[in-house]
Structures are given as C-alpha cells and as structure tokens.
C-alpha cells in the first residue's frame, strides 16, 4: 500500500493502522529528501510491529535506508 505522501497522510495512516490493527502490521518506509523522517514517522504511532527502511530507487532525491534508520534510532525506533 502506498500510504502517505505528507504529514497529514501519515497522521491518517497512523490512525487507520491503530483502528484496524487486528493483524500484525509491517511498514516498508522510503522517503525523499524533501521531508523530515522523524516527524513523519511519529504520526504513525506505535501500532506496527516493525519498520523496514528502504531507498526509493526511482527517486534521485531519496534518502538511503541507512539515513532513515539512523534518524529513527534517535526516537527509539529500531528500523532495519
């Protein structure tokens, strides 16, 4: 599911995950450098089991998976 493209979308997606969390939810997360990784992921809350960081191969301005993971560790999210 391509879930959200901005903070408002992330907020709605986080709410939806929390309301429909009858199965384990895994997040595959890539982001362009125009966005703030930490503030975006905070909108998702903690209703998911694991977050996997990935680069967006077709996006030249994509963050690397390592950059995403390193930033999320600052807020105690163990992204792999």
């Amino acid at each position: 599911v391509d879930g959200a493209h901005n903070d408002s979308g992330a907020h709605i997606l986080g709410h939806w995950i929390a309301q429909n969390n009858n199965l384990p939810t895994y997040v595959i997360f890539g982001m362009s450098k125009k966005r703030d990784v930490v503030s975006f992921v905070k909108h998702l809350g903690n209703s998911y089991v694991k977050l996997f960081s990935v680069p967006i191969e077709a996006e030249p301005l994509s963050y690397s998976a390592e950059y995403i993971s390193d930033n999320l560790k600052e807020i105690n999210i163990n992204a792999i």
Side-chain angles (χ1 to χ4, degrees):
V1 174
D2 186 356
H5 294 273
N6 55 41
D7 285 343
S8 296
H11 177 76
I12 296 298
L13 180 59
H15 180 71
W16 185 88
I17 291 170
Q19 296 299 313
N20 296 283
N21 202 11
N22 32 346
L23 293 173
T25 301
Y26 297 85
V27 176
I28 301 169
F29 185 81
M31 177 176 271
S32 71
K33 294 179 181 176
K34 299 175 186 177
R35 309 274 184 212
D36 179 359
V37 172
V38 171
S39 67
F40 195 92
V41 171
K42 280 183 177 180
H43 288 292
L44 299 180
N46 57 2
S47 298
Y48 55 89
V49 173
K50 181 74 71 179
L51 189 142
F52 299 89
S53 59
V54 298
I56 305 170
E57 291 187 16
E59 173 58 59
L61 296 177
S62 173
Y63 286 125
S64 69
E66 294 79 15
Y67 179 89
I68 293 169
S69 294
D70 289 347
N71 276 265
L72 294 179
K73 285 177 185 171
E74 294 178 12
I75 59 169
N76 297 319
I77 294 176
N78 186 20
I80 59 171

